[in-house]
C-alpha cells in the first residue's frame, strides 16, 4: 500500500467523560418509537442492556482472549465473537459478503538483546532506550552515524519554524524533544500553546526525519511532555509491532525509530561536553539551530519478521434514500496481547482500553438496528472494529484508504477509545476545539442530556492524534473521539494504562458507559436522518482533503 506523508496545522486536543443516565438494572430492550428517531436529541429511553455490555467486556477482556493481540489466537476469538454478535443483531456484512476486512501487514519483533552505543556510552534496551523499525529488513546496522540534536524535530512553515534549517542529516542519527515549543513555553501565540499539535506527536517526528533522510531518531522521553511514563514507552515498543507494507517493503521509512530515557539523555549530552537542560531551553526559541554532538551512534537492530493478515470487523446497517452515505461508529478491538517479562508472560487484557469501547459498538448496533426497524434511517451506519490501533492505527489506515468505502462517502466518524465504566458524570469531554461542526453536534446532544461540554484537561497530550478517527481525519472525514481514560480514575494512567492491571471488574456500574452510548446514539440518529455534511471549521489539511471530495 502506498504511504502518504501528512503535515497538519495545529489544533487543540481534548479528552472525554460523561453524565447520568438512569437505571442500570434494565434487561429488556423496549421497542423504539418513530418519535425517538424524529427527535433524536430527546434522550428518552436509550434502551441499552447493560447486562450485554458487562458480558461483552468480561469475555473480550478475559485471559482466554489473551489480551487480543493481532495475529494471535486471541484475534481469532475476538473477530469471530464480534462478527457473530453483529450477525445476531441483524446487521449485514460490511466487507462484501464478509464481516471481516483483511488487513495484510507485517509483524516485526525487535530483539531486546541489542545495545545502543553513543560515543563511549552503552545503553540497554528497554531500560534506557527503545528501537524498532517499519522497514521489512531482518537486520539494520547503524554504524558510526553522526549524532545531531535537532530541538523538536519540526519543520512547520506556517509557524515559521524549521529545526532542520542549515543542516544535512542524511545518514545521521537525530536526537529530539517530544511535544512542541508551544507546550514548552506555554505561550498561546507559539504553535497552540499548551495544546499539542500534530507536530508534537512522535509519529510526525519520525515521518519528518525520514523526509530529511535521517537514519535514526531517538526522541527524548519526559513524562509531562509525552503524557505518559517511561513504562508506557517500554511496553509499547519492546514487543511486536505491526505495519502495512508498500511495494518497496517500506524502504523509504525511517530505518530506526527510537526513544531515549531522560537519564540516558543527560548522560549522552554530558558525554558530549554539553548541558542537556541548557540546550533544551534554547530549542524552544524560534531560530534555534541544530547542534552536532560530535559523537557517533552504533546499533544493530535485529527483527523477527512475519508476514500475515489481520482483520477489521465491519458491519452494515443499510439506509434508504441516502444509502451510499455512511456514518461510521468505531472502536479498536486490539490490545497489547501477552508480553514476555523477566517474571514470565503477562496478559494485558485491556478491559477499559478498549474492550469497553468495543462492547459499546455492539450494544449500539443492537439498539440502532431495533430503532431502524421502526423507522428506517436515510443514511447507512457502519460499525467498524479496527485492528492494530495500539501499534500505529494500522487497521484504520487501511480502512481510510477507501478500499471498501471511499472517503467521499463517509459523512463522519464517532470513535470510542476507552469508556468510563464507573458512575455517570455531568459533563462530556471534547477533544479538539474549533475543528469541525461535529463539535456542535456534541454540544447539542450533551445539552439535551443535561450535561455540559468540558474541554480536554490534558490538551498537551495530543489525544486527538492518537486514535483511529485520526486516520479518517487525514482523508478529510470529520469526527469525534469519545475517550475517558483516567478521567474518572486518577490511578488509571499511572498504574493501569497499557499494563496488566487494566482488567474487568464486575463491580463497575457502567453508568458512564450508558450515558455516553446514549449520547453517541443521539448524534448517530441525527446524522442518519439528515442530509447535512459536517464541515471542517479551521483551515487545515483535513479541510483541504474534504474539499477535494467535493464536500
Amino acid at each position: 500500500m502506498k504511504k502518504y506523508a501528512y503535515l497538519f496545522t495545529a489544533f487543540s486536543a481534548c479528552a472525554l467523560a460523561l453524565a447520568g443516565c438512569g437505571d442500570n438494572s434494565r434487561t429488556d430492550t423496549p421497542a423504539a418509537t418513530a418519535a425517538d428517531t424524529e427527535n433524536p436529541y430527546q434522550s428518552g429511553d436509550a434502551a441499552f442492556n447493560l447486562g450485554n455490555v458487562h458480558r461483552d467486556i468480561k469475555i473480550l477482556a478475559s485471559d482466554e482472549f489473551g489480551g487480543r493481540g493481532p495475529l494471535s489466537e486471541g484475534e481469532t476469538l475476538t473477530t469471530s465473537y464480534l462478527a457473530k454478535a453483529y450477525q445476531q443483531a441483524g446487521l449485514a456484512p460490511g466487507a462484501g459478503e464478509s464481516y471481516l476486512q483483511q488487513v495484510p501487514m507485517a509483524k516485526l519483533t525487535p530483539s531486546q538483546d541489542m545495545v545502543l552505543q553513543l560515543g563511549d556510552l552503552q545503553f540497554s534496551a528497554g531500560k534506557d532506550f527503545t528501537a524498532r523499525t517499519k522497514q521489512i529488513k531482518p537486520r539494520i546496522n547503524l554504524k558510526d552515524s553522526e549524532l545531531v540534536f535537532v530541538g523538536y524535530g519540526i519543520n512547520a512553515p506556517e509557524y515559521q519554524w524549521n529545526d532542520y534549517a542549515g543542516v544535512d542529516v542524511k545518514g545521521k542519527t537525530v536526537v529530539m524533544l517530544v511535544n512542541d515549543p508551544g507546550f514548552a513555553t506555554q505561550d498561546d501565540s507559539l504553535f497552540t500553546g499548551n495544546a499539542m499539535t500534530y507536530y508534537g506527536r512522535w509519529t510526525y517526528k519520525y515521518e519528518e526525519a525520514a523526509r530529511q533522510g535521517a537514519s535514526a531518531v531517538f526522541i527524548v522521553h519526559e513524562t509531562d511532555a509525552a503524557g505518559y511514563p517511561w513504562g508506557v514507552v517500554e511496553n509499547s515498543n519492546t514487543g511486536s509491532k505491526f505495519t502495512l507494507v508498500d511495494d518497496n517493503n517500506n524502504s523509504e521509512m525511517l530505518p530506526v525509530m527510537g526513544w531515549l530515557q531522560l537519564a540516558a539523555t543527560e548522560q549522552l549530552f554530558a558525554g558530549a561536553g554539553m548541558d542537556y537542560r541548557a540546550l533544551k531551553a534554547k530549542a524552544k526559541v524560534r531560530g534555534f539551530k541544530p547542534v552536532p554532538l560530535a559523537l557517533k551512534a552504533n546499533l544493530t537492530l535485529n527483527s523477527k519478521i512475519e508476514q500475515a493478515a489481520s482483520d477489521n470487523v465491519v458491519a452494515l446497517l443499510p439506509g434508504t434514500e441516502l444509502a451510499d452515505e455512511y456514518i461510521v461508529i468505531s472502536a479498536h478491538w486490539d490490545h497489547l496481547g501477552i508480553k514476555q517479562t523477566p517474571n514470565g508472560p503477562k496478559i494485558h487484557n485491556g478491559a477499559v482500553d478498549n474492550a469497553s469501547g468495543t462492547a459499546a459498538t455492539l450494544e449500539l448496533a443492537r439498539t440502532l438496528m431495533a430503532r431502524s426497524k421502526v423507522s428506517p434511517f436515510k443514511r447507512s451506519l457502519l460499525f467498524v472494529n479496527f485492528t492494530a490501533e495500539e501499534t500505529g492505527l494500522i487497521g484504520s489506515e487501511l480502512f481510510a484508504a477507501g478500499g471498501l468505502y471511499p472517503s467521499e462517502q463517509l459523512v463522519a466518524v464517532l470513535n470510542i477509545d476507552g469508556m468510563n465504566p464507573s458512575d455517570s458524570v455531568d459533563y462530556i469531554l471534547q477533544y479538539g476545539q474549533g475543528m469541525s461542526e461535529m463539535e456542535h453536534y456534541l454540544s447539542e446532544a450533551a445539552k439535551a442530556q443535561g450535561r455540559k461540554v468540558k474541554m480536554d484537561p490534558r490538551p498537551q497530550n495530543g489525544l486527538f492524534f492518537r486514535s483511529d478517527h485520526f486516520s479518517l481525519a487525514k482523508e478529510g472525514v470529520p469526527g469525534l473521539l469519545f475517550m475517558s481514560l483516567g478521567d474518572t480514575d486518577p490511578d488509571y494512567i499511572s498504574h493501569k494504562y497499557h499494563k496488566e492491571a487494566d482488567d474487568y471488574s464486575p463491580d463497575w456500574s457502567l453508568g458512564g458507559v450508558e450515558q455516553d452510548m446514549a449520547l453517541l446514539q443521539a448524534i448517530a440518529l441525527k446524522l442518519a436522518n439528515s442530509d447535512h455534511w459536517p464541515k471542517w471549521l479551521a483551515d487545515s489539511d483535513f479541510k483541504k482533503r474534504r474539499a477535494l471530495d467535493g464536500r
Side-chain angles (χ1 to χ4, degrees), residues 1-2 4 6 101 244 312 386 394-408 410 471-472 474-475 545:
M1 166 167 280
K2 185 178 180 181
Y4 297 90
Y6 295 90
Q101 179 192 22
L244 298 177
N312 292 328
F386 297 115
I394 303 301
S396 58
E397 181 182 349
L398 181 74
F399 180 85
L404 288 179
Y405 302 93
S407 63
E408 61 266 25
L410 304 181
S471 294
L472 278 75
K474 290 184 189 181
E475 297 299 325
R545 181 66 182 82

Side-chain angles (χ1 to χ4, degrees), residues 140-372:
I140 293 175
N141 286 310
L142 189 66
K143 184 172 178 59
D144 293 332
S145 175
E146 296 179 25
L147 279 163
V148 183
F149 176 59
V150 293
Y152 286 91
I154 293 172
N155 179 15
E158 70 273 28
Y159 292 113
Q160 299 82 53
W161 195 282
N162 185 3
D163 285 321
Y164 290 96
V167 65
D168 182 356
V169 299
K170 288 185 176 64
K172 297 179 181 179
T173 295
V174 292
V175 178
M176 62 184 64
L177 305 169
V178 73
N179 216 307
D180 61 43
F183 171 79
T185 60
Q186 296 293 295
D187 180 355
D188 289 341
S189 67
L190 190 61
F191 286 70
T192 54
N194 184 54
M196 183 189 286
T197 66
Y198 186 55
Y199 293 114
R201 286 287 290 146
W202 55 264
T203 48
Y204 163 77
K205 294 174 188 289
Y206 292 149
E207 291 164 1
E208 182 59 35
R211 287 190 284 270
Q212 297 287 338
S215 289
V217 167
F218 287 95
I219 300 172
V220 179
H221 175 268
E222 296 197 44
T223 297
D224 288 346
Y228 35 78
W230 177 256
V232 173
V233 175
E234 184 177 2
N235 279 341
S236 299
N237 291 277
T238 55
S240 299
K241 301 285 279 188
F242 305 90
T243 181
L244 298 177
V245 182
D246 64 21
D247 294 338
N248 297 312
N249 283 328
N250 300 346
S251 61
E252 295 181 4
M253 292 189 174
L254 188 68
V256 178
M257 307 159 62
W259 286 81
L260 196 58
Q261 204 262 359
L262 177 59
T265 303
E266 292 174 332
Q267 291 179 53
L268 165 63
F269 278 72
M274 299 179 184
D275 185 326
Y276 167 70
R277 299 290 174 182
L279 281 178
K280 177 184 172 184
K282 290 181 179 179
K284 66 184 180 182
V285 179
R286 184 177 278 110
F288 169 79
K289 301 297 182 185
V291 179
L293 297 180
L295 297 174
K296 293 183 178 179
N298 286 275
L299 175 73
T300 298
L301 172 58
N302 293 316
S303 299
K304 178 183 177 182
I305 300 173
E306 303 169 68
Q307 299 279 0
S310 184
D311 288 297
N312 292 328
V313 183
V314 188
L316 172 66
L317 200 171
T320 53
E321 63 259 42
L322 297 176
D324 61 349
E325 298 179 4
Y326 303 90
I327 294 97
V328 178
I329 299 175
S330 64
H332 70 90
W333 61 254
D334 68 305
H335 198 54
L336 302 183
I338 300 173
K339 305 281 286 185
Q340 300 299 326
T341 75
N343 297 318
K346 302 293 183 183
I347 302 175
H348 290 60
N349 284 316
V352 171
D353 182 19
N354 189 29
S356 66
T358 304
T361 59
L362 297 181
E363 188 62 11
L364 284 162
R366 296 177 186 116
T367 59
L368 285 164
M369 171 56 77
R371 287 174 178 268
S372 72

Side-chain angles (χ1 to χ4, degrees), residues 52 58 77 81 194 229 326 399 415 522 528:
N52 287 341
K58 181 179 180 180
L77 292 171
Y81 184 86
N194 184 54
Y326 303 90
F399 180 85
N415 182 51

Side-chain angles (χ1 to χ4, degrees), residues 447-497:
K447 183 178 179 181
Q449 282 189 318
R451 302 165 72 183
K452 59 180 179 286
V453 172
K454 178 180 171 183
M455 299 308 300
D456 178 9
R458 300 186 303 275
Q460 69 273 18
N461 292 355
L463 293 173
F464 181 83
F465 310 108
R466 289 165 53 178
S467 193
D468 287 312
H469 67 287
F470 185 57
S471 294
L472 278 75
K474 290 184 189 181
E475 297 299 325
V477 183
L480 294 170
L481 170 61
F482 293 83
M483 179 185 284
S484 186
L485 295 182
D487 188 68
T488 54
D489 179 1
D491 189 53
Y492 184 82
I493 295 296
S494 298
H495 298 105
K496 300 175 185 176
Y497 176 60

